[in-house]
Amino acid sequence: MISSLLSNLNYTTIFLLMLLESTVVPVPSELVVAPAAYHAAGGSLNVLLVVLFATIGADVGASINYFVALYVGRPVVYRFANSKWGKMCLLNQEKVEKSERYFDDHGVVATLTGRLIPGIRHLISLPAGLARMNYWKFLLYTTIGAGAWHSILAAMGWYLHAIVPEEELEATIERYNHYIVGAILAIVLLVVAWVVVKRKRK
Protein backbone atom coordinates (compact mmCIF):
# COMPACT_ATOMS: atom_id res chain seq x y z
CA MET A 1 0.00 0.00 0.00
CA ILE A 2 2.71 2.47 1.03
CA SER A 3 4.82 1.66 -2.02
CA SER A 4 1.85 2.48 -4.24
CA LEU A 5 1.22 5.77 -2.40
CA LEU A 6 4.88 6.75 -2.63
CA SER A 7 4.96 6.15 -6.36
CA ASN A 8 1.79 8.18 -7.00
CA LEU A 9 1.81 10.94 -4.39
CA ASN A 10 2.07 14.49 -5.69
CA TYR A 11 0.84 17.84 -4.43
CA THR A 12 -2.57 17.40 -6.09
CA THR A 13 -3.21 13.97 -4.57
CA ILE A 14 -2.00 15.20 -1.16
CA PHE A 15 -4.45 18.11 -1.37
CA LEU A 16 -7.36 15.90 -2.44
CA LEU A 17 -6.71 13.16 0.13
CA MET A 18 -6.47 15.66 2.98
CA LEU A 19 -9.62 17.38 1.71
CA LEU A 20 -11.42 14.05 1.94
CA GLU A 21 -9.89 13.30 5.36
CA SER A 22 -11.30 16.58 6.70
CA THR A 23 -14.83 15.84 5.50
CA VAL A 24 -16.24 12.43 6.42
CA VAL A 25 -14.12 10.07 4.32
CA PRO A 26 -11.83 7.92 6.52
CA VAL A 27 -8.47 8.70 4.91
CA PRO A 28 -5.64 8.30 7.48
CA SER A 29 -3.51 11.43 7.24
CA GLU A 30 -0.50 9.67 8.73
CA LEU A 31 -0.44 7.34 5.70
CA VAL A 32 -0.44 10.31 3.31
CA VAL A 33 1.62 13.12 4.80
CA ALA A 34 4.33 10.99 6.42
CA PRO A 35 5.01 8.95 3.25
CA ALA A 36 4.97 12.16 1.19
CA ALA A 37 7.60 13.66 3.50
CA TYR A 38 9.55 10.38 3.29
CA HIS A 39 9.46 10.83 -0.48
CA ALA A 40 10.45 14.49 -0.12
CA ALA A 41 13.54 13.49 1.85
CA GLY A 42 14.56 11.53 -1.24
CA GLY A 43 14.30 14.67 -3.37
CA SER A 44 11.07 14.02 -5.31
CA LEU A 45 8.92 16.53 -3.42
CA ASN A 46 9.42 19.62 -1.28
CA VAL A 47 8.55 18.90 2.34
CA LEU A 48 7.31 22.46 2.97
CA LEU A 49 4.94 22.20 0.00
CA VAL A 50 3.77 18.81 1.30
CA VAL A 51 2.71 20.46 4.57
CA LEU A 52 1.23 23.46 2.73
CA PHE A 53 -0.93 21.45 0.30
CA ALA A 54 -2.01 19.04 3.04
CA THR A 55 -3.08 21.97 5.22
CA ILE A 56 -4.92 23.74 2.40
CA GLY A 57 -6.72 20.48 1.62
CA ALA A 58 -7.69 20.14 5.29
CA ASP A 59 -8.96 23.73 5.30
CA VAL A 60 -11.15 23.14 2.24
CA GLY A 61 -12.52 19.85 3.59
CA ALA A 62 -13.21 21.35 7.02
CA SER A 63 -14.92 24.33 5.38
CA ILE A 64 -17.23 21.98 3.47
CA ASN A 65 -18.23 20.33 6.76
CA TYR A 66 -18.66 23.72 8.42
CA PHE A 67 -21.00 25.12 5.76
CA VAL A 68 -22.98 21.89 5.45
CA ALA A 69 -23.60 21.93 9.21
CA LEU A 70 -24.30 25.68 9.16
CA TYR A 71 -26.96 25.49 6.45
CA VAL A 72 -28.58 22.05 6.84
CA GLY A 73 -28.64 21.86 10.64
CA ARG A 74 -28.35 19.13 13.26
CA PRO A 75 -31.25 16.82 12.18
CA VAL A 76 -29.83 16.39 8.66
CA VAL A 77 -26.28 15.87 9.98
CA TYR A 78 -27.51 13.19 12.38
CA ARG A 79 -29.64 11.57 9.67
CA PHE A 80 -26.60 11.27 7.41
CA ALA A 81 -24.42 9.93 10.25
CA ASN A 82 -26.99 7.18 10.90
CA SER A 83 -27.53 6.38 7.21
CA LYS A 84 -25.93 3.64 5.13
CA TRP A 85 -23.60 6.21 3.55
CA GLY A 86 -22.61 7.53 6.96
CA LYS A 87 -21.77 4.04 8.18
CA MET A 88 -19.66 3.48 5.05
CA CYS A 89 -17.67 6.55 6.17
CA LEU A 90 -17.36 5.01 9.67
CA LEU A 91 -19.76 7.61 11.07
CA ASN A 92 -22.61 7.36 13.55
CA GLN A 93 -24.61 9.76 15.69
CA GLU A 94 -22.53 8.94 18.77
CA LYS A 95 -19.34 10.18 17.09
CA VAL A 96 -20.99 13.42 16.01
CA GLU A 97 -22.41 13.95 19.51
CA LYS A 98 -18.96 13.28 20.98
CA SER A 99 -17.45 16.00 18.78
CA GLU A 100 -20.28 18.36 19.78
CA ARG A 101 -19.67 17.73 23.49
CA TYR A 102 -15.96 18.37 23.01
CA PHE A 103 -16.73 21.63 21.21
CA ASP A 104 -19.27 22.71 23.84
CA ASP A 105 -16.88 21.92 26.71
CA HIS A 106 -13.85 23.67 25.27
CA GLY A 107 -15.28 26.43 23.09
CA VAL A 108 -13.34 27.82 20.16
CA VAL A 109 -10.12 26.24 21.50
CA ALA A 110 -11.75 22.93 20.52
CA THR A 111 -11.31 23.81 16.85
CA LEU A 112 -7.57 24.17 17.39
CA THR A 113 -6.99 21.23 19.73
CA GLY A 114 -9.62 19.04 18.07
CA ARG A 115 -7.52 18.93 14.87
CA LEU A 116 -4.93 16.96 16.84
CA ILE A 117 -7.23 14.30 18.32
CA PRO A 118 -8.05 11.04 16.47
CA GLY A 119 -11.78 10.48 16.11
CA ILE A 120 -12.46 14.19 16.65
CA ARG A 121 -10.12 15.66 14.04
CA HIS A 122 -12.28 15.25 10.94
CA LEU A 123 -15.59 15.97 12.72
CA ILE A 124 -14.80 19.05 14.81
CA SER A 125 -15.87 21.34 11.96
CA LEU A 126 -19.46 20.04 12.21
CA PRO A 127 -20.20 21.42 15.70
CA ALA A 128 -18.39 24.64 14.72
CA GLY A 129 -20.90 25.08 11.91
CA LEU A 130 -23.85 24.04 14.06
CA ALA A 131 -22.79 26.60 16.69
CA ARG A 132 -22.42 29.28 13.97
CA MET A 133 -18.87 30.02 15.02
CA ASN A 134 -17.31 32.97 13.16
CA TYR A 135 -15.99 31.42 9.94
CA TRP A 136 -12.70 33.33 9.79
CA LYS A 137 -11.89 32.45 13.37
CA PHE A 138 -12.79 28.85 12.59
CA LEU A 139 -10.53 28.88 9.53
CA LEU A 140 -7.63 30.40 11.48
CA TYR A 141 -7.78 27.77 14.23
CA THR A 142 -8.27 24.99 11.69
CA THR A 143 -5.21 26.12 9.75
CA ILE A 144 -3.06 26.29 12.88
CA GLY A 145 -4.22 22.89 14.15
CA ALA A 146 -4.00 21.13 10.79
CA GLY A 147 -0.65 22.76 10.02
CA ALA A 148 0.76 21.61 13.37
CA TRP A 149 -0.48 18.04 12.85
CA HIS A 150 0.85 17.84 9.29
CA SER A 151 4.20 19.29 10.38
CA ILE A 152 4.53 16.55 13.01
CA LEU A 153 3.71 13.87 10.44
CA ALA A 154 6.10 15.42 7.90
CA ALA A 155 8.90 15.51 10.47
CA MET A 156 8.30 11.82 11.22
CA GLY A 157 8.34 10.88 7.53
CA TRP A 158 11.49 12.92 6.89
CA TYR A 159 13.24 11.31 9.87
CA LEU A 160 12.21 7.76 8.88
CA HIS A 161 13.75 8.16 5.42
CA ALA A 162 17.21 7.92 6.95
CA ILE A 163 16.58 4.79 9.03
CA VAL A 164 13.72 2.75 7.55
CA PRO A 165 13.59 0.96 4.16
CA GLU A 166 10.50 1.66 2.07
CA GLU A 167 9.02 -1.81 2.50
CA GLU A 168 8.93 -1.34 6.31
CA LEU A 169 7.53 2.18 6.23
CA GLU A 170 3.84 1.46 6.78
CA ALA A 171 4.39 -0.69 9.88
CA THR A 172 6.88 1.80 11.30
CA ILE A 173 4.53 4.76 10.76
CA GLU A 174 1.71 2.94 12.52
CA ARG A 175 4.02 2.12 15.46
CA TYR A 176 5.38 5.65 15.77
CA ASN A 177 1.88 7.08 15.35
CA HIS A 178 0.74 5.53 18.64
CA TYR A 179 3.51 7.36 20.51
CA ILE A 180 2.80 10.63 18.71
CA VAL A 181 -0.95 10.45 19.40
CA GLY A 182 -0.25 9.76 23.09
CA ALA A 183 2.08 12.75 23.35
CA ILE A 184 -0.38 15.02 21.52
CA LEU A 185 -3.27 13.96 23.76
CA ALA A 186 -1.15 14.83 26.79
CA ILE A 187 -0.36 18.26 25.31
CA VAL A 188 -4.03 18.88 24.45
CA LEU A 189 -5.08 17.99 28.00
CA LEU A 190 -2.52 20.44 29.38
CA VAL A 191 -3.76 23.19 27.03
CA VAL A 192 -7.39 22.56 27.97
CA ALA A 193 -6.53 22.51 31.68
CA TRP A 194 -4.64 25.80 31.31
CA VAL A 195 -7.62 27.42 29.53
CA VAL A 196 -10.06 26.18 32.20
CA VAL A 197 -7.86 27.46 35.05
CA LYS A 198 -7.40 30.81 33.31
CA ARG A 199 -11.16 31.24 32.84
CA LYS A 200 -11.91 30.33 36.46
CA ARG A 201 -9.41 32.91 37.66
CA LYS A 202 -11.14 35.57 35.55
Side-chain angles (χ1 to χ4, degrees):
M1 176 183 175
I2 285 292
S3 297
S4 174
L5 282 173
L6 285 171
S7 62
N8 292 292
L9 275 180
N10 55 52
Y11 302 124
T12 301
T13 56
I14 292 167
F15 167 82
L16 290 173
L17 288 169
M18 291 302 91
L19 184 157
L20 293 174
E21 193 257 356
S22 286
T23 53
V24 294
V25 181
V27 177
S29 53
E30 62 271 17
L31 295 183
V32 177
V33 179
Y38 183 97
H39 209 186
S44 299
L45 294 169
N46 182 299
V47 70
L48 296 179
L49 290 179
V50 167
V51 174
L52 176 63
F53 277 88
T55 303
I56 293 172
D59 282 346
V60 174
S63 295
I64 292 171
N65 270 10
Y66 173 91
F67 285 113
V68 167
L70 179 67
Y71 289 115
V72 305
R74 185 174 285 101
V76 177
V77 171
Y78 281 3
R79 196 176 306 129
F80 173 78
N82 290 323
S83 70
K84 178 178 67 175
W85 295 104
K87 288 180 172 56
M88 287 175 62
C89 295
L90 306 181
L91 279 181
N92 56 49
Q93 183 170 328
E94 182 182 354
K95 288 183 178 180
V96 178
E97 289 176 342
K98 180 181 177 183
S99 67
E100 281 199 82
R101 285 195 300 272
Y102 185 82
F103 186 88
D104 290 340
D105 290 343
H106 307 301
V108 294
V109 176
T111 305
L112 173 60
T113 59
R115 296 295 312 181
L116 304 173
I117 301 176
I120 296 289
R121 182 166 55 244
H122 67 298
L123 295 178
I124 196 64
S125 47
L126 291 174
L130 292 173
R132 298 184 175 275
M133 178 182 178
N134 178 275
Y135 174 71
W136 298 109
K137 184 181 288 188
F138 162 79
L139 187 61
L140 173 63
Y141 286 138
T142 297
T143 301
I144 294 172
W149 174 242
H150 295 147
S151 296
I152 292 168
L153 294 179
M156 176 174 66
W158 186 277
Y159 167 74
L160 291 178
H161 184 269
I163 62 172
V164 175
E166 188 175 314
E167 60 272 13
E168 297 177 14
L169 184 58
E170 181 173 5
T172 306
I173 287 173
E174 290 176 352
R175 187 168 66 251
Y176 273 61
N177 191 51
H178 292 307
Y179 297 115
I180 291 172
V181 168
I184 287 174
L185 287 175
I187 292 170
V188 168
L189 287 173
L190 288 173
V191 170
V192 169
W194 177 77
V195 170
V196 170
V197 170
K198 187 177 178 181
R199 285 182 177 175
K200 284 187 176 180
R201 283 180 177 176
K202 284 184 178 180

